Amino acid sequence: MSTSQAIRERIASQPAGEPFTPALFAGLGSRAAIDQALMRLAKVGSVERIGHGLYIVPKAGRFGIKSMPAPEQVARTVAEAEGATIEVHGAEAARRLGLSTQMPAQVVFQTTGSSHQLRLGKLVVRLQHVAPRKLALAGRPAGQALSALWYLGRSQVTPDTFKQIAKKLPVGEFEALSGAKALMPAWMVEALARYERSEPAHA
């Protein structure tokens, strides 16, 4: 079976609207052959290129309007292709935890991989590279809390900030956050330690 035929068969089983990268076809041919096959399939409309090295099988939504994948799904696919992790941006994490009422103007995810900008129809999705220690707990509620704390910064993080987070997180997740002191800057550790001294049950 040719590389093109093998790729077409794999794409036929790919759910419409779900993003994928050329890594999906690893082992079916050289990277150049895979890229050429995808380019040909994009020309005839079998797949759609939505970013550098990022594709979807087109999916028609209501009234024939093209349906795009969720931004988080796209960001996760890009990160997985690089072996990276992602988390929502600290501004969005702070909003979700009730630590901020500000609605972020852009859809931004933080990643341990490279920075990217992708356009999903009219929506721009940004992946912003950050130091791995900021995403050490990524993919769980404690990770969102850590992201929010980095975003708020030294001037806004107080023992009361941790009190609010403790009310929002399951006990196990707050314990995971508390157990990550080695990854935190001194000002964050100090605010957490002051909270724990005032709340012995969480210490």
Side-chain angles (χ1 to χ4, degrees), residues 2-94:
S2 70
T3 297
S4 292
Q5 182 61 31
I7 287 173
R8 279 197 295 272
E9 289 196 4
R10 192 160 291 183
I11 283 173
S13 62
Q14 176 72 7
E18 192 171 294
F20 63 89
T21 69
L24 180 67
F25 312 105
L28 298 183
S30 68
R31 179 58 193 265
I34 291 168
D35 285 345
Q36 284 176 357
L38 287 170
M39 201 182 300
R40 285 194 295 270
L41 289 166
K43 278 183 180 175
V44 298
S46 298
V47 300
E48 183 175 344
R49 185 175 179 272
I50 58 172
H52 180 67
L54 190 64
Y55 301 83
I56 58 169
V57 176
K59 178 183 179 183
R62 294 182 65 195
F63 313 116
I65 297 170
K66 254 187 321 190
S67 177
M68 283 291 182
E72 191 154 352
Q73 193 179 19
V74 171
R76 201 167 297 285
T77 300
V78 172
E80 283 173 359
E82 293 189 329
T85 53
I86 66 160
E87 187 54 86
V88 295
H89 190 273
E92 173 61 14

Side-chain angles (χ1 to χ4, degrees), residues 179-202:
K181 290 187 182 76
L183 303 165
M184 298 177 181
W187 55 264
M188 200 182 288
V189 173
E190 184 186 348
L192 174 54
R194 283 167 57 202
Y195 163 74
E196 289 178 334
R197 285 197 295 270
S198 68
E199 300 280 339
H202 285 286

